[in-house]
């Protein structure tokens, strides 16, 4: 436990020691700000049923940075250790492989959470300054936070796997970007079948509804906590971390 | 402390370490020698559990390095070749981190790190970024890292590379002092260092162990154990007479003005200097110089590793 803590602390620090992390943080924060600004604008012009949380997270100014940031978060976690050779000092200390994998995962997750703190402050300050509580309620606020946390865990575990599979950062980034995009846009899949045969594609729509991020997001942004996506994300995260652990162990059998 | 049995490592079809076996007892300082590419680092990487052996087994403090890797690693302080370090951390921060990882008790971490910093003369740079340090200082940080948890066994891959002469000397002293309670396996290309520090030498060449003995014994059993150089006023007949003495392998002659230099190559353990002196006196060859040159570890090293055997 103590080992895991110190490993994770080192991971988190390594994020904050790199200037790129601050660039990421600022850009992400700025774009989320834009998304939020438009959300507020939209809602003042056209009163809608949706909360400001919902509208913000459906803005392209949120979605694209969100997708792009995932590979950046995880690409270096293993690749850097191999590049610098520190993998040798790390894995010859009395540290278990699963502890290394979990530390990489938690390290990226902590930075991911930090990325979202300003955005969640926006919502809060909005309420503070405008005194319009109707803009969002506690449900969407915490619901969306929970979903973003779960989805973040899932995407980060996927990124960790990509990083463990690739010695080059850039390849790791490319691989995790492809996986993330594929997964996120699964939701668009049923649209290709629309009009063909509704009955036949019903199961597909149903299935995709179960696994698609863009199906989950509105649900949680409306403050509805659905347990199926929770189970889905948690189990997939566990699965990906499990595979990552095996890939990481398999390094010993390569050379 | 270390036990290696029939250890082999293949990289693809290339055999880097070929079926080696050796033991290192508690308290020994063993020098691991060999030319570039001999397989020293590869062997060390297998001992530390970083690389899996292709075949054979090794254990540290009785724990198999592969089956009981974590337990084996607890006894180990390792300085890898090229000293990999996190360049974005500060020296004391890095050492604290490593001390925690290596299981130094929570309350003892500051003390252990302070001691390692003191031992490796890092006080001046303890607050600096590792990335901003010179190579020699990085090397010392690596050494401090290897020592910080006070391990029973130190495996050091070229620990003095890149250090200045003062530091080389103090690292030597350090290793000698450490060895009172610990076991050290150290690879290096600096042979005098080995003679000073090591209680035993293992020479490896092309993945095979060529010799494993004390430096003293290696020198004694070295094929061309020594030379005797005699500068005297003597005619060509002296060459044959010197050559007839027991233990002389051959004699080389070089003219130098009215003096002639005879270089006698001697067998192991042969010392013919007194006999040669008496011979010269009998024959009235005026001797200007008579020097017994003993084989150095370098001669032994060259002898053991130059060939393609
Ligand atoms: N990862 C690797 N893949 C393929 N071959 C390798 C690898 N690492 C080492 N080798 C080869 O194995 C042999 C032994 O290498 P090793 O690093 O053990 O030598 P060494 O004795 O430490 O040499 P040096 O004195 O130069 O450090 C070399 O011929 C080297 O080219
Ligand atoms: Mg080497």
């Amino acid at each position: 436990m103590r080992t895991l803590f110190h490993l994770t602390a080192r991971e988190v620090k390594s994020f904050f020691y790199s200037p790129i992390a601050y660039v990421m943080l600022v850009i992400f924060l700025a774009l989320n700000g834009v998304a939020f600004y438009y959300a507020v604008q939209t809602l003042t012009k056209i009163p809608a049923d949706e909360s400001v949380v919902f509208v913000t997270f459906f803005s392209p100014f949120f979605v694209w940075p969100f997708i792009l940031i995932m590979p950046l978060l995880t690409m270096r976690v293993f690749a850097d250790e191999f590049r610098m050779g520190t993998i040798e000092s790390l894995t010859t200390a009395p540290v278990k492989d699963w502890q290394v994998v979990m530390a990489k995962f938690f390290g990226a997750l902590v930075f991911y959470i930090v990325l979202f703190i300003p955005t969640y402050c926006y919502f809060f300050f909005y309420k503070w300054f405008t005194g319009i509580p109707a803009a969002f309620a506690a449900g969407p606020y915490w619901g969306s936070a929970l979903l973003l946390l779960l989805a973040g865990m899932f995407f980060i575990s996927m990124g960790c796997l990509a990083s463990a599979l690739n010695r080059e950062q850039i390849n790791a980034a490319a691989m995790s970007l492809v996986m993330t995009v594929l997964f996120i846009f699964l939701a668009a899949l049923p649209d290709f079948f629309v009009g063909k045969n509704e009955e036949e594609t019903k199961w597909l729509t149903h299935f995709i509804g179960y696994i698609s991020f863009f199906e989950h997001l509105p649900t949680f942004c409306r403050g509805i906590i659905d347990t199926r996506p929770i189970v889905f994300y948690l189990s997939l995260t566990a699965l990906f971390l499990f595979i990552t652990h095996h890939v990481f162990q398999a390094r010993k059998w390569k050379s | 402390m270390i036990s290696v049995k029939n250890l082999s490592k293949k990289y693809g079809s290339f055999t880097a370490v070929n079926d080696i076996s050796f033991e290192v007892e508690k308290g020994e300082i063993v020098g691991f020698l060999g030319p570039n590419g001999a397989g020293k680092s590869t062997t060390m990487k297998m001992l530390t559990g970083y690389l899996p052996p292709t075949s054979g087994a090794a254990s540290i403090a009785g724990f198999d390095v592969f089956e009981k890797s974590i337990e084996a690693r607890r006894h180990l302080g390792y300085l890898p070749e090229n000293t990999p370090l996190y360049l974005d951390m500060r020296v004391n921060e890095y050492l604290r981190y490593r001390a925690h990882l290596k299981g130094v008790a929570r309350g003892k971490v500051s003390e252990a790190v302070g001691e390692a910093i003191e031992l490796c003369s890092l006080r001046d740079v303890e607050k600096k970024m590792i990335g901003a340090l010179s190579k020699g200082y990085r090397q010392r940080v690596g050494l401090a890292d290897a020592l910080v948890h006070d391990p029973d066994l130190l495996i050091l891959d070229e620990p003095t590379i890149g250090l200045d002469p003062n530091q080389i000397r103090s690292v030597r002293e350090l290793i000698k002092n450490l060895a009172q309670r610990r076991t050290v396996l150290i690879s290096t290309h600096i042979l005098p260092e080995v003679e000073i520090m090591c209680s035993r030498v293992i020479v490896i060449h092309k993945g095979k162990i060529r010799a494993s003995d004390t430096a003293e014994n290696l020198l004694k059993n070295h094929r061309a154990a020594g030379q005797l150089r005699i500068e005297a006023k003597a005619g060509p007949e002296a060459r044959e007479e010197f050559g007839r003495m027991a233990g002389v392998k051959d004699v080389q002659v070089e003219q130098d003005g009215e003096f002639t230099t005879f270089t006698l190559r001697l067998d192991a353990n042969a010392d013919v200097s007194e006999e040669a002196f008496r011979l010269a006196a009998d024959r009235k060859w005026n001797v200007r110089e008579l020097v017994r040159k003993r084989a150095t570890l370098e001669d032994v090293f060259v002898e053991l590793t130059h060939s393609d055997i």
Side-chain angles (χ1 to χ4, degrees):
Chain A
M1 213 42 217
R2 183 183 159 212
T3 308
L4 185 57
F5 170 79
H6 286 285
L7 284 169
T8 308
R10 144 84 206 149
E11 289 304 317
V12 174
K13 278 189 209 163
S14 82
F15 272 106
F16 290 98
Y17 286 157
S18 72
I20 298 164
Y22 290 94
V23 175
M24 264 162 63
L25 201 64
V26 169
I27 293 178
F28 193 70
L29 189 147
L31 290 175
N32 274 356
V34 174
F36 178 67
Y37 175 79
Y38 279 116
V40 174
Q41 291 279 304
T42 315
L43 287 181
T44 33
K45 277 191 213 125
I46 323 149
D49 291 341
E50 307 298 355
S51 70
V52 68
V53 173
F54 182 95
V55 181
T56 304
F57 286 146
F58 265 82
S59 154
F61 287 105
F62 168 76
V63 172
W64 284 108
F66 177 76
I67 292 172
L68 290 174
I69 215 121
M70 288 302 171
L72 295 180
L73 275 178
T74 50
M75 64 180 186
R76 39 161 289 286
V77 292
F78 288 105
D80 250 18
E81 301 269 5
F82 283 105
R83 187 174 55 82
M84 298 197 298
T86 45
I87 190 75
E88 194 168 348
S89 39
L90 179 63
T91 57
T92 52
V95 169
K96 296 189 178 79
D97 283 352
W98 68 263
Q99 291 172 322
V100 174
V101 171
M102 290 313 284
K104 299 281 174 200
F105 171 74
F106 284 130
L109 189 64
V110 167
F111 188 72
Y112 172 84
I113 291 169
V114 170
L115 275 178
F116 274 97
I117 290 174
T119 308
Y120 275 82
C121 289
Y122 290 156
F123 298 140
F124 190 72
F125 284 129
Y126 176 75
K127 186 175 170 183
W128 185 276
F129 284 122
T130 59
I132 311 171
F136 73 89
Y141 193 77
W142 295 113
S144 63
L146 177 63
L147 181 77
L148 286 171
L149 177 68
L150 289 167
M153 284 167 65
F154 166 61
F155 290 126
I156 287 167
S157 69
M158 219 155 66
C160 283
L161 176 61
S163 185
L165 282 169
N166 293 282
R167 295 285 151 99
E168 295 290 332
Q169 286 195 11
I170 191 73
N171 297 347
M175 187 188 260
S176 76
L177 183 65
V178 167
M179 292 200 289
T180 310
V181 167
L182 269 182
F183 190 81
I184 288 214
F185 289 99
L186 269 180
L189 210 54
D191 296 347
F192 291 112
F193 299 100
V194 164
K196 282 199 178 148
N197 188 333
E198 297 259 339
E199 269 310 303
E200 265 179 33
T201 57
K202 207 168 153 190
W203 66 270
L204 186 66
T205 321
H206 193 76
F207 174 67
I208 292 213
Y210 177 59
I211 64 167
S212 163
F213 179 64
F214 279 122
E215 294 292 323
H216 303 149
L217 192 57
T219 319
F220 280 77
C221 283
R222 290 188 186 107
I224 303 158
I225 309 295
D226 185 354
T227 51
R228 283 173 309 167
I230 297 179
V231 172
F232 171 73
Y233 284 122
L234 285 180
S235 48
L236 274 192
T237 303
L239 176 68
F240 273 101
L241 288 177
F242 180 76
I243 301 172
T244 308
H245 178 225
H246 275 264
V247 169
F248 185 57
Q249 280 193 316
R251 80 190 178 280
K252 291 198 160 184
W253 301 108
K254 273 181 189 164
S255 55
Chain B
M1 198 69 201
I2 304 178
S3 162
V4 174
K5 287 202 188 74
N6 306 104
L7 200 64
S8 294
K9 178 71 193 177
K10 286 187 177 176
Y11 293 112
S13 62
F14 175 76
T15 308
V17 172
N18 192 353
D19 193 24
I20 63 170
S21 303
F22 64 89
E23 303 271 331
V24 176
E25 299 301 325
K26 209 166 162 46
E28 277 190 292
I29 308 185
V30 174
F32 206 40
L33 307 184
N36 295 130
K40 303 180 294 294
S41 300
T42 305
T43 306
M44 288 181 158
K45 283 177 187 178
M46 288 192 281
L47 283 177
T48 56
Y50 178 66
L51 279 182
T54 310
S55 64
S59 66
I60 284 176
F63 298 105
D64 187 280
V65 295
F66 208 63
E67 304 293 329
K68 293 252 187 297
S69 183
I70 295 282
E71 286 86 346
R73 282 184 251 162
R74 280 191 214 289
H75 292 271
L76 173 75
Y78 174 42
L79 173 70
E81 195 172 31
N82 305 325
T83 329
L85 298 167
Y86 294 113
L87 303 183
D88 56 5
M89 289 177 103
R90 290 174 199 286
V91 172
N92 55 2
E93 178 191 20
Y94 176 72
L95 293 175
R96 289 188 71 87
Y97 164 68
R98 297 290 296 178
H100 280 296
L101 280 196
K102 293 172 174 189
V104 175
R106 213 174 297 250
K108 293 263 166 63
V109 167
S110 296
E111 194 188 323
V113 169
E115 224 164 86
I117 282 178
E118 217 53 71
L119 279 174
C120 300
S121 328
L122 286 165
R123 200 47 87 194
D124 296 341
V125 297
E126 64 175 327
K127 299 226 161 56
K128 273 198 175 176
M129 287 294 226
I130 293 176
L133 296 183
S134 68
K135 177 166 168 41
Y137 272 104
R138 285 187 201 183
Q139 189 70 17
R140 291 193 227 170
V141 175
L143 206 56
D145 168 19
L147 299 173
V148 73
H149 57 306
D150 196 13
D152 305 335
L153 171 66
L154 282 164
I155 295 186
L156 308 173
D157 203 344
E158 304 195 24
T160 51
I161 196 168
L163 296 180
D164 64 53
N166 296 333
Q167 272 303 316
I168 290 185
R169 185 176 286 195
S170 70
V171 166
R172 260 180 222 158
E173 284 304 309
L174 174 63
I175 291 173
K176 268 177 118 172
N177 289 339
L178 288 175
Q180 287 163 2
R181 290 181 292 126
R182 293 177 198 76
T183 314
V184 185
L185 180 67
I186 174 175
S187 91
T188 176
H189 291 296
I190 305 172
L191 296 172
E193 185 169 289
V194 176
E195 277 187 284
I196 297 168
M197 285 194 301
C198 300
S199 54
R200 187 152 65 93
V201 180
I202 296 175
V203 181
I204 179 171
H205 179 46
K206 303 205 163 175
K208 281 272 185 197
I209 290 183
R210 303 300 308 277
S212 166
D213 212 332
T214 61
E216 211 170 73
N217 283 343
L218 282 180
L219 288 170
K220 232 164 45 190
N221 303 329
H222 179 49
R223 273 204 279 156
Q227 288 182 345
L228 187 67
R229 213 183 68 217
I230 306 161
E231 284 182 35
K233 270 186 200 161
E237 77 285 359
R239 176 180 191 161
E240 276 164 45
E241 297 216 35
F242 282 133
R244 273 202 290 274
M245 290 186 303
V248 178
K249 287 210 295 204
D250 59 39
V251 183
Q252 284 167 357
V253 182
E254 212 179 302
Q255 200 68 38
D256 177 17
E258 39 183 10
F259 283 87
T260 311
T261 306
F262 302 89
T263 308
L264 283 61
R265 287 213 304 140
L266 306 178
D267 280 339
N269 295 323
D271 184 1
V272 297
S273 43
E274 283 182 47
E275 201 186 334
F277 180 76
R278 261 185 267 116
L279 180 70
D282 282 351
R283 300 286 188 276
K284 303 254 178 335
W285 300 328
N286 287 335
V287 174
R288 180 169 69 178
E289 190 174 90
L290 189 146
V291 186
R292 191 162 66 116
K293 213 178 123 216
R294 279 203 261 177
T296 59
L297 202 52
E298 192 172 315
D299 298 324
V300 179
F301 182 86
V302 171
E303 174 96 27
L304 287 171
T305 59
H306 79 281
S307 57
D308 286 336
I309 310 160

